[in-house]
Amino acid sequence: QPVTRLEVETDKRGVTAEVRDVGWANSCGRPTHCIAAAVGSTVQVWRLPSLSGWPIRKLQPVVTLRLPDAPGPRPFWHVSWSATGSALSASAEDGSVVVWRLDPSGQLQLHSTLHPDA
């Protein structure tokens, strides 16, 4: 029996994309742990309260990130958190890599985008 079920957002047609990768970030002094998943052309992020608040039956994503300035959907294949959980990177099918960093309020902000042809 799963401890928590993560609800994955669907696209405009109501279709759920394939989950290709999942990354975990420990709380490292923050009140929540973070999970990120490469879901189709998005990276979806969930926040989990400290383990004392478990079990949680269902969680909705708190933010959905996309490849900036993409002319069309480009699926993400891999996600990874930094050791402190303060930065999240994701690689896309076209070889692009995107990095988001947590700002002082705890929100993920675009930090940089690397393209294979740059």
Side-chain angles (χ1 to χ4, degrees):
Q1 168 124 350
V3 174
T4 301
R5 179 179 174 172
L6 301 175
E7 293 290 317
V8 176
E9 288 185 355
T10 58
D11 67 12
K12 294 174 185 170
R13 300 169 295 161
V15 176
T16 301
E18 176 182 0
V19 175
R20 293 186 180 92
D21 193 24
V22 175
W24 171 270
N26 287 318
S27 63
C28 291
R30 291 183 306 277
T32 60
H33 304 281
C34 293
I35 296 174
V39 183
S41 60
T42 67
V43 173
Q44 296 181 24
V45 179
W46 297 263
R47 290 200 174 126
L48 296 145
S50 66
L51 296 178
S52 63
W54 287 24
I56 299 166
R57 294 294 172 216
K58 246 190 228 185
L59 279 177
Q60 299 292 330
V62 294
V63 66
T64 298
L65 306 166
R66 291 179 170 72
L67 191 62
D69 304 323
R74 295 186 202 164
F76 283 102
W77 284 93
H78 183 69
V79 293
S80 182
W81 289 95
S82 64
T84 61
S86 61
L88 171 64
S89 64
S91 60
E93 183 177 67
D94 68 350
S96 298
V97 176
V98 183
V99 178
W100 295 273
R101 293 185 59 98
L102 286 174
D103 67 16
S105 69
Q107 301 302 310
L108 285 165
Q109 300 295 327
L110 179 64
H111 177 65
S112 59
T113 305
L114 307 169
H115 297 285
D117 54 354

